[in-house]
Amino acid sequence: MRKLARFTLGAILLTSSGHAEIHPFPATFKTETLSTNGAQIYVRVGGSGPAVVMLHGYGETGDMWEPLATKLAKDHTVVVPDLRGMGLSGRPAGGYDKKTEAHDIERVLATLKIEHADLVTHDIGNMVGYALAAEYPDLITKFVIIDAPLPGVGPREQITRSHALWHFSFWGPDAERLVKGRERIYLDRFWNEFSDNPKMFDEASRQHYAELYARPGAMHAGFEQFKAFDQDATDNKAFLAKGKLAIPVLAVGGEKSFGPMMATVMRAAATNVTEAVVPHSGHWVMEENPTATIKLVADFLK
């Protein structure tokens, strides 16, 4: 386990205009790279009290959670990893099925000697989070899941008929050749099309994430996340066969994105689901309406 110097490009900070821009995590947060089951996982840890772990999605890194992490660190121990292959975590050759990535997070928590944690997730982080909660039911105490479906769970076929989700099948050597050197163009498509107002995903954030995703092997690892969806669906169906999650779940959708559909998805996977919608937001709830998102999460975790 080795300490890393603070990453100066930082994370996400609330601004008076109601959207988010790049800023570092508070200096009270420490950063480490932890060895898990075949991966090196970069993690930020700060605060004290009951633990909460936050998992990001595609097109971002753990940096997205900075405003919420700052808020919760007043009375929680906050753990914010970069998922396998993304951000400042290592990029192993395999292991991009979400069950394996859930094992990564369990090992991170075990290394930090955390026995119980609340869970807050977004996008692909939802899929890792669901596998984590299903595999380790005694570890996760509450689950906030934000704006992305789960492979193999609920009305999946209805959701994936959307032409906007063509990227689920966009991977492989030729996809990587098409995107190489054009990472910003590819990522702009996500930030523009999946937001209510693209201007709310600001230029500083776009530059920050585009630089991270342009690092050697980063786009390949990102595409591997999508390539694993069929295996994820198989794994999730096996989890469901053992029973639904019993922990309290807050299913959050952006008003102009999944909206109440998130609760529909999670009612297929959990018995105690509360529905919430972030107003004036598409998929990027922490950028488009961080104030409402933070309040929903913080109130649920009280």
Side-chain angles (χ1 to χ4, degrees):
M1 183 172 73
R2 67 184 172 87
K3 295 282 180 70
L4 293 180
R6 183 156 305 279
F7 187 48
T8 57
L9 287 179
I12 304 298
L13 181 68
L14 280 172
T15 69
S16 58
S17 62
H19 68 281
E21 62 181 22
I22 294 297
H23 265 266
F25 272 63
T28 53
F29 274 70
K30 298 179 180 179
T31 59
E32 299 175 330
T33 297
L34 304 180
S35 297
T36 63
N37 58 325
Q40 300 290 309
I41 302 299
Y42 177 84
V43 60
R44 312 149 186 84
V45 183
S48 62
V52 56
V53 58
M54 303 177 184
L55 305 180
H56 67 91
Y58 187 78
E60 298 184 296
T61 70
D63 293 343
M64 67 169 284
W65 295 119
E66 189 275 334
L68 179 59
T70 299
K71 164 82 172 176
L72 293 181
K74 296 175 182 177
D75 52 13
H76 287 78
T77 298
V78 180
V79 180
V80 186
D82 285 349
L83 295 176
R84 173 186 290 240
M86 303 170 95
L88 297 182
S89 287
R91 301 183 184 94
Y96 294 98
D97 62 281
K98 310 314 173 288
K99 183 176 178 179
T100 296
E101 293 191 62
H103 295 165
D104 292 342
I105 305 306
E106 187 276 335
R107 286 291 84 204
V108 166
L109 296 176
T111 301
L112 296 173
K113 302 188 184 308
I114 292 173
E115 297 180 352
H116 305 287
D118 292 338
L119 179 61
V120 181
T121 66
H122 179 251
D123 192 76
I124 282 177
N126 292 354
M127 305 170 195
V128 179
Y130 173 67
L132 181 66
E135 283 268 84
Y136 303 100
D138 295 330
L139 176 61
I140 302 304
T141 47
K142 288 184 177 180
F143 187 5
V144 181
I145 183 168
I146 304 174
D147 210 73
L150 299 175
V153 176
R156 175 73 177 179
E157 291 186 7
Q158 175 186 342
I159 292 169
T160 54
R161 284 194 198 106
S162 170
H163 294 300
L165 300 180
W166 58 263
H167 59 276
F168 282 9
S169 299
F170 185 74
W171 44 265
D174 291 328
E176 292 178 35
R177 286 200 302 139
L178 283 167
V179 173
K180 185 175 177 60
R182 306 177 184 90
E183 294 86 1
R184 170 63 189 269
I185 297 171
Y186 180 69
L187 292 167
D188 272 339
R189 179 260 166 180
F190 289 87
W191 301 325
N192 292 340
E193 293 189 17
F194 295 151
S195 59
D196 179 29
N197 179 358
K199 292 180 180 179
M200 301 303 284
F201 206 112
D202 66 273
E203 178 60 23
S205 298
R206 291 171 187 249
Q207 291 181 13
H208 172 69
Y209 291 123
E211 180 178 327
L212 287 170
Y213 278 82
R215 291 186 173 200
M219 290 304 297
H220 171 75
F223 289 145
E224 290 293 298
Q225 302 279 356
F226 299 118
K227 184 179 178 180
F229 278 4
D230 287 346
Q231 181 60 51
D232 298 334
T234 298
D235 291 338
N236 288 345
K237 289 174 182 177
F239 292 144
L240 285 174
K242 297 178 181 179
K244 294 183 177 183
L245 301 180
I247 56 174
V249 173
L250 178 66
V252 181
E255 180 184 16
K256 300 301 177 64
S257 185
F258 282 95
M261 178 63 75
M262 280 306 303
T264 300
V265 170
M266 289 312 296
R267 289 186 183 112
T271 60
N272 183 3
V273 177
T274 300
E275 176 182 318
V277 174
V278 177
H280 313 297
S281 181
H283 179 63
W284 309 103
V285 296
M286 285 299 298
E287 288 73 29
E288 297 182 72
N289 195 342
T291 301
T293 305
I294 289 169
K295 187 177 189 315
L296 282 170
V297 175
D299 287 350
F300 183 74
L301 297 185
K302 284 182 180 177

